[in-house]
């Protein structure tokens, strides 16, 4: 488990130190954030989903996780709307922070260490960017009102958003059975390898000017982390019971749901919203606490 957590802590600390010393200049956080969003993340999603098997989603454990993700996201959207009264994009990103798991750089090492198999995480890597992310980004863009009409926004979103476009291309090309030549894939793989480190460095840099949240912001952060680390695995467990899922598959589903918020949520929030403190703090706090929840889930279910 430490093999998944230590790189997150170290790279976040590197970003924080870089911001405090201003070694990269005043605009480094903005430039690196755009690099991660427009170049590195699309590259890693394309190369990862290229080898993804759509059939990997066809089991009851994944179904329980998928249902739980939508249930927790919907409840989170309602709670953030009723209790905190933010605009739709902010409510949507807050709900996403409570239900979007770090299945890549953290989920796969944890799955190998706890489950001895990463196939469940691969299924989640296929589900989140292809299904969840387009829904979230559509709500964010429609709520922001920056594009012409709602229909035009939804129809053109896959073309305008590099993350969704890369995800769809990866799944589509992979489904055809054709594999691009190594001369194409190797540069993409090299570019994609920078996605997670860059996102974590940007996350750390954002802490350079961090201030203590007010009471309402603290309450909203607490609700978001509570949803991610407790409600999401609990609903997934109940879904497994309802669907008759037990044994290693149930353990995999609940462990996956107990993972912390993915740093991708912060990357998206920083690109679309002027204030991305809640997603940033949710990533940090949920990651810090998830070692406890993951250990408890493993002890109870394994």
């Amino acid at each position: 488990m430490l093999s998944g957590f230590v790189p997150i802590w170290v790279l976040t600390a590197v970003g924080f130190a870089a911001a405090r010393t201003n070694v990269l200049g005043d605009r480094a956080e903005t430039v690196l954030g755009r690099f991660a969003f427009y170049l590195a993340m699309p590259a890693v999603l394309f190369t990862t989903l290229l080898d993804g098997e759509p059939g990997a989603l066809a089991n009851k454990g994944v179904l329980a996780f998928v249902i739980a993700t939508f249930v927790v996201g919907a409840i989170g959207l309602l709670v953030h709307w009723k209790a905190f009264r933010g605009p739709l994009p902010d409510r949507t990103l807050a709900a996403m922070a409570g239900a979007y798991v770090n299945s890549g750089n953290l989920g796969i090492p944890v799955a190998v260490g706890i489950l001895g198999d990463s196939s469940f995480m691969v299924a989640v890597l296929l589900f989140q960017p292809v299904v969840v992310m387009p829904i979230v980004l559509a709500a964010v863009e429609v709520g922001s009102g920056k594009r012409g009409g709602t229909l035009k926004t939804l129809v053109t979103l896959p073309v305008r958003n590099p993350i969704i476009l890369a995800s769809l291309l990866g799944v589509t090309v992979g489904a055809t059975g054709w594999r691009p030549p190594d001369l194409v894939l190797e540069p993409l793989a090299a570019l994609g390898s920078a996605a997670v480190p860059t996102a974590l460095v940007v996350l750390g840099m954002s802490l350079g000017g961090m201030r203590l949240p007010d009471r309402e912001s603290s309450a909203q952060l607490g609700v978001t982390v509570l949803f991610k680390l407790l409600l999401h695995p609990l609903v997934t467990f109940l879904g497994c019971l309802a669907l008759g899922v037990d044994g290693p598959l149930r353990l995999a589903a609940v462990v996956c749901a107990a993972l912390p918020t993915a740093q991708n949520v912060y990357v998206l929030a920083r690109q679309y919203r002027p204030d991305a403190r809640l997603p940033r703090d949710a990533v940090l706090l949920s990651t810090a606490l998830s070692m406890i929840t993951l250990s408890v889930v493993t002890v109870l279910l394994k």
Side-chain angles (χ1 to χ4, degrees):
M1 205 178 291
L2 280 174
S3 67
F5 281 94
V6 170
I8 293 177
W9 295 332
V10 171
L11 290 171
T12 302
V14 168
F16 177 77
R20 297 294 290 181
T21 58
N22 200 32
V23 68
L24 299 178
D26 296 332
R27 289 184 50 81
E29 184 181 343
T30 300
V31 173
L32 288 176
R34 292 175 68 84
F35 168 77
F37 182 83
Y38 285 104
L39 298 177
M41 281 180 58
V44 72
L45 286 171
F46 176 80
T47 54
T48 300
L49 297 176
L50 186 66
D51 297 323
E53 291 290 339
L57 294 174
N59 68 69
K60 289 184 177 180
V62 174
L63 179 60
F65 175 84
V66 168
I67 293 173
T69 298
F70 282 119
V71 168
V72 173
I75 296 173
L77 190 63
L78 181 63
V79 168
H80 286 288
W81 173 43
K82 291 291 187 181
F84 303 108
R85 299 289 182 181
L88 177 61
D90 291 342
R91 295 198 308 266
T92 303
L93 289 166
M96 183 185 185
Y100 199 96
V101 305
N102 188 341
S103 57
N105 64 304
L106 182 56
I108 289 179
V110 167
V112 171
I114 294 177
L115 309 172
D117 180 14
S118 64
S119 59
F120 194 96
M121 293 300 169
V122 173
V124 176
L125 279 170
L126 189 65
F127 160 67
Q128 289 194 143
V130 175
V131 178
V132 176
M133 199 174 291
I135 296 173
V136 170
L137 289 177
V140 169
E141 290 210 357
V142 170
S144 300
K146 294 180 180 180
R147 305 286 172 179
T150 301
L151 182 59
K152 180 182 177 182
T153 298
L154 297 177
V155 170
T156 60
L157 181 61
V159 179
R160 293 184 289 101
N161 188 284
I163 292 176
I164 296 178
L165 182 60
S167 300
L168 294 177
L169 284 175
V171 172
T172 303
V173 174
T176 65
W178 176 73
R179 188 172 180 82
D182 290 341
L183 287 176
V184 175
L185 290 181
E186 288 178 0
L188 287 177
L191 180 60
S193 65
V196 171
T198 303
L200 291 173
V201 168
V202 172
L203 184 69
M205 294 179 75
S206 70
L207 298 175
M210 187 177 180
R211 61 181 185 272
L212 292 177
D214 55 32
R215 180 176 299 178
E216 181 174 340
S217 298
S218 298
Q220 192 174 15
L221 174 62
V223 167
T224 302
V225 174
L226 186 69
F227 272 46
K228 179 76 260 341
L229 297 184
L230 295 181
L231 185 61
H232 197 188
L234 176 60
V235 175
T236 303
F237 177 75
L238 294 176
C240 289
L241 291 181
L243 294 172
V245 180
D246 57 7
L249 190 56
R250 181 173 65 185
L251 175 63
V254 180
V255 164
C256 184
L259 287 167
T261 304
Q263 61 266 14
N264 294 358
V265 180
Y266 170 70
V267 173
L268 295 181
R270 200 181 182 287
Q271 184 65 32
Y272 281 92
R273 305 300 294 165
D275 187 355
R277 285 177 296 172
L278 176 63
R280 176 198 66 192
D281 295 346
V283 172
L284 292 169
L285 186 57
S286 65
T287 301
L289 297 177
S290 62
M291 281 196 70
I292 300 173
T293 56
L294 285 167
S295 301
V296 171
V297 165
T298 304
V299 169
L300 292 178
L301 296 183
K302 192 167 185 179

